[in-house]
Amino acid sequence: MVPLNYYLALSGVLFAIGTAGVFLRRNLITVMLSIEIMLNAVNLTFVAVGRYAGTVDGQIITFFVMTVAAAEAAVGLAIVIALFRHKETLSPEAYTSLKW
Amino acid sequence: METAAFYIFAAITVVGSIGVIGQRNPMHSVMLLITSFGGLAGLYVLLDAPFSAVTQIIIYAGAIMVLFLFVVMLLNASREEPSPRGLLRPGSMKYGVVISVLLAIEAVWAISRLGPARFDETTGEEVSSVANIGRSLFTTHAFAFEATSILILVAMVGAVVLARKEH
């Protein structure tokens, strides 16, 4: 089997891609997709380390992370729809009314 | 053989993820993310985690991404307004690039400092068993499992309230 390090390195790269997406993109939907990439990078770490430890706990926490991701997607997309109704744009720069 | 499979799935995952943040049409982004999740599911199979692989496909690629697709179509958002500055946000762009590249370098560097951590091949059977996962989920983690159902309920109500049209 491929050593644990490879999986952890891959997960680190995926997480960095996700952060890059959140910082760089100017589309709310793509920003949320980048958050999903980060969640999945962490999932990969959990499964790999759980396999390394020889327990099923890694897969169980993956299951919970997926549930939280589903809840986050549902609420986040509802917020996106509500925002889009107000200003007809998905650009994060348009929504600065909470900025101090 | 397994090493080759790892590299293929890793390449699918990374290229798909880069594609998600690398182009303009949100519809294509969602499709590429589904591809990337397929690669991840392959990696889970290599890690003796068929349960996670299947839930990844069914729940993530099947349910959550379809939700995203619905919203992209509903908002007709495939026409992202063109900008002279291209895809990127202006001010935060350079910091974003710097921070993520630093993060990637740091993570890979920290992991390469570990010695090679080999998997114990003998525990594969035990870890991949769905029966063991179910037993652990409904005994040790029963409270977290029930808390999850409340979380889903709250998210459902929240989504309905937020997306409702005000009269």
Side-chain angles (χ1 to χ4, degrees):
Chain A
M1 271 177 92
V2 184
L4 175 65
N5 312 45
Y6 286 44
Y7 287 99
L8 294 182
L10 173 64
S11 161
V13 169
L14 279 180
F15 195 90
I17 294 172
T19 44
V22 170
F23 279 121
L24 298 179
R25 290 307 306 272
R26 19 187 298 288
N27 183 320
L28 287 176
I29 304 254
T30 325
V31 168
M32 288 192 65
L33 291 176
S34 307
I35 295 172
E36 301 291 330
I37 295 177
M38 287 196 273
L39 286 170
N40 275 283
V42 176
N43 270 353
L44 182 63
T45 311
F46 275 131
V47 173
V49 174
R51 175 69 186 83
Y52 182 69
T55 66
V56 295
D57 290 353
Q59 294 180 61
I60 286 171
I61 201 154
T62 304
F63 174 79
F64 289 130
V65 170
M66 272 180 204
T67 327
V68 172
E72 173 254 314
V75 175
L77 289 172
I79 292 175
V80 168
I81 290 177
L83 287 175
F84 191 81
R85 252 190 222 133
H86 273 279
K87 293 200 176 164
E88 294 280 314
T89 173
L90 286 176
S91 168
E93 271 107 73
Y95 304 107
T96 50
S97 46
L98 280 181
K99 217 177 195 172
W100 186 50
Chain B
M1 177 59 210
E2 237 186 276
T3 316
F6 172 82
Y7 280 117
I8 291 168
F9 288 134
I12 293 173
T13 313
V14 171
V15 170
S17 303
I18 291 173
V20 169
I21 67 168
Q23 41 78 57
R24 194 179 289 272
N25 191 335
M27 190 75 94
H28 296 171
S29 288
V30 176
M31 290 303 177
L32 280 165
L33 193 57
I34 292 175
T35 318
S36 157
F37 286 169
L40 265 179
L43 290 172
Y44 290 159
V45 171
L46 289 182
L47 281 168
D48 293 321
F51 174 75
S52 292
V54 170
T55 43
Q56 176 81 13
I57 297 287
I58 296 177
I59 298 181
Y60 241 122
I64 301 181
M65 287 303 119
V66 168
L67 191 62
F68 272 93
L69 271 184
F70 267 144
V71 172
V72 171
M73 291 175 178
L74 197 67
L75 302 182
N76 194 13
S78 48
R79 41 160 186 86
E80 183 174 328
E81 50 268 45
S83 148
R85 296 178 299 248
L87 284 174
L88 306 171
R89 269 195 259 168
S92 57
M93 170 193 148
K94 32 190 182 299
Y95 310 111
V97 172
V98 170
I99 290 170
S100 356
V101 169
L102 279 181
L103 183 66
I105 291 171
E106 186 198 346
V108 174
W109 175 79
I111 289 154
S112 66
R113 302 260 300 167
L114 300 163
R118 305 240 157 241
F119 288 106
D120 184 2
E121 308 271 351
T122 53
T123 54
E125 197 84 349
E126 191 186 322
V127 171
S128 63
S129 147
V130 179
N132 280 348
I133 295 172
R135 198 170 297 122
S136 180
L137 192 60
F138 290 111
T139 54
T140 322
H141 303 281
F143 178 75
F145 185 79
E146 296 301 335
T148 302
S149 62
I150 298 189
L151 174 77
I152 294 280
L153 182 68
V154 170
M156 199 169 75
V157 174
V160 169
V161 170
L162 281 170
R164 187 190 49 179
K165 263 210 173 80
E166 275 136 72
H167 295 290

